[in-house]
Structures are given as structure tokens and as C-alpha cells.
Amino acid sequence: MGANAPIHMLDGYKVLDFTQAVAGPTVTLMLAEMGAEVIKVELMPNGDLTRASPLIRNGRSRYFVQHNRGKKSICVDVKNPEGLAGCGKSRMVTSISAVL
């Protein structure tokens, strides 16, 4: 893009998203749409439970895709200290602006 490219309101912000269900993913979707880099943290072993919600198309939940588009994702075993430590050391999650 050129020098006159539009800048989003939240460009440069990085959000770590631990949310599940409706309200949290909707909020972080809005943050992503405003330019924030949103990193969704999903819990091992299956990730976000909405991945298996009933509205499946092409093997994917429409609900999950609708509420998590534009986000990056990592899956972490939070019951394992090594999993949590690895999350903190990941280059993807350094210099976080907000945690939800």
C-alpha cells in the first residue's frame, strides 16, 4: 500500500484473547476489525469448544469462523506448566497491549 494508506484505529495494538462463547469473541472480533492484532489462545486438547458447534459447513463451524475471523490462534495446555511457559515465550505473544 502507498503512503496514503488508511491507518486503523488500533494498528500496533496486540491483544491476547482467552475468551470463549459469544460476548468475548465478539468483542475481540471488533478489536481485530479496528486493526488490533488479536491472538486467540485455545485450550488443549480440542481448542475452542465452538469449533464443534452444530452449524458445520465444509468441516468447520460457521459460528467459530464468524466470530474468530481475522485472528491468529495458538493452542496451549494450561494444565501443564511447560505449556504456559511456552505461551509466554512465544514470539507471537510478546509485547501484549491487552488481555481478555
Side-chain angles (χ1 to χ4, degrees):
M1 293 185 150
N4 295 327
I7 297 174
H8 291 94
M9 184 184 308
L10 297 178
D11 276 351
Y13 285 84
K14 195 180 275 194
V15 177
L16 199 56
D17 175 10
F18 285 90
T19 66
Q20 295 186 37
V22 180
T26 301
V27 168
T28 54
L29 171 62
M30 290 178 185
L31 295 174
E33 289 174 340
M34 289 190 281
E37 179 182 358
V38 178
I39 302 163
K40 180 168 183 62
V41 179
E42 299 185 50
L43 304 179
M44 292 284 285
N46 300 319
D48 191 318
L49 297 176
T50 61
R51 285 183 178 275
S53 67
L55 297 174
I56 303 291
R57 182 175 183 179
N58 297 328
R60 299 187 329 164
S61 159
R62 290 186 216 166
Y63 173 88
F64 181 83
V65 171
Q66 175 185 356
H67 283 82
N68 293 290
R69 67 182 184 272
K71 301 177 188 179
K72 296 179 179 178
S73 182
I74 58 174
C75 199
V76 177
D77 184 356
V78 296
K79 294 181 181 178
N80 182 339
E82 294 171 357
L84 285 174
C87 178
K89 292 176 184 174
S90 170
R91 286 189 304 154
M92 190 185 301
V93 297
T94 57
S95 56
I96 297 297
S97 305
V99 177
L100 293 145

